[in-house]
Amino acid sequence: MAAEEEKRYSCHCPLAPVCSRSDGPYHEVHVEKNSLLYEQGEEADKVYYLKEGKVSLKRAISSNHALDSTTTIGDHTFLGIEAMSKSAYKESARTETPVVMCVGTRDEIEKMTPSGSAPQRVASWLVDRFEKKQTVQIPRDVLAGLLGMHPASLSRALRKLANEKLINLSHGALVVLEPEELRKKAAG
């Protein structure tokens, strides 16, 4: 097994359920300090998950730079999620420190993202990755990012699946209760 593959399988970040698959859309990269990841207005074609380090996000409000907005983000944050729904990045992103991140292209992520209603997409994602009853530990904002949906839409879909007794939501964990019924839900 190549060193890169070993790294994929040993990843313990929230993307591990996707990265650990050899056909997963994300791969880990190491980026030097002061590197430009993308610029505001540029075609949004990649989603980034910051595992370690700091990235500065700068949004130009107008030609008057006094109105520009800059924010620093740290570990365990998605960047460029607009790549899943819009054509351009809404800010520029530059590394402030050396960073470790997972990067996926829009095309690869879309191939892995189920279609259908929000509950169908969540059900499909779960049954594709978890064949039996088991507990899934994945932050909801990460799962929403993986499925290309807003966190509020994900929460509604999870509540619906929980109300149907297909999953249980407990202390940040998602417990698959009825894998066969979940499979039927995913199929529509």
Side-chain angles (χ1 to χ4, degrees), residues 79-90:
L79 296 94
I81 199 73
E82 59 268 26
M84 299 308 298
S85 61
K86 296 181 181 165
S87 59
Y89 291 113
K90 60 184 180 182

Side-chain angles (χ1 to χ4, degrees), residues 116-126 149 153-154 156-158 160-161 164 182 185-186:
S117 69
Q120 282 179 303
R121 290 163 59 192
V122 173
S124 180
W125 188 87
L126 287 168
M149 62 175 65
S153 299
L154 174 67
R156 285 190 297 273
L158 290 172
K160 181 174 173 103
L161 295 174
E164 294 175 17
L182 204 54
K185 182 73 166 184

Side-chain angles (χ1 to χ4, degrees), residues 23-38:
D23 62 345
Y26 290 92
H27 63 281
E28 186 177 283
V29 296
H30 296 254
V31 183
E32 295 178 5
K33 177 181 179 178
N34 204 31
S35 296
L36 182 66
L37 299 174
Y38 55 83

Side-chain angles (χ1 to χ4, degrees), residues 71-114:
T71 304
T72 299
I73 60 169
D75 301 354
H76 312 295
T77 308
F78 271 102
L79 296 94
I81 199 73
E82 59 268 26
M84 299 308 298
S85 61
K86 296 181 181 165
S87 59
Y89 291 113
K90 60 184 180 182
E91 73 272 315
S92 298
R94 181 176 296 277
T95 60
E96 288 187 5
T97 65
V99 301
V100 178
M101 56 182 24
C102 292
V103 181
T105 66
R106 176 181 31 215
D107 293 341
E108 288 299 313
I109 295 166
E110 284 177 348
K111 284 181 200 172
M112 298 289 293
T113 303

Side-chain angles (χ1 to χ4, degrees), residues 10-71:
S10 65
C11 178
H12 297 292
C13 80
L15 293 179
V18 176
C19 291
S20 63
R21 295 172 50 133
S22 60
D23 62 345
Y26 290 92
H27 63 281
E28 186 177 283
V29 296
H30 296 254
V31 183
E32 295 178 5
K33 177 181 179 178
N34 204 31
S35 296
L36 182 66
L37 299 174
Y38 55 83
E39 289 193 88
Q40 182 177 342
E42 190 175 87
E43 179 187 358
D45 61 350
K46 292 182 183 146
V47 175
Y48 303 82
Y49 180 75
L50 181 60
K51 293 170 72 171
E52 298 173 17
K54 294 199 181 304
V55 172
S56 174
L57 301 177
K58 182 177 181 181
R59 183 178 295 181
I61 306 299
S62 69
S63 58
N64 177 357
H65 295 292
L67 299 176
D68 289 357
S69 168
T70 303
T71 304

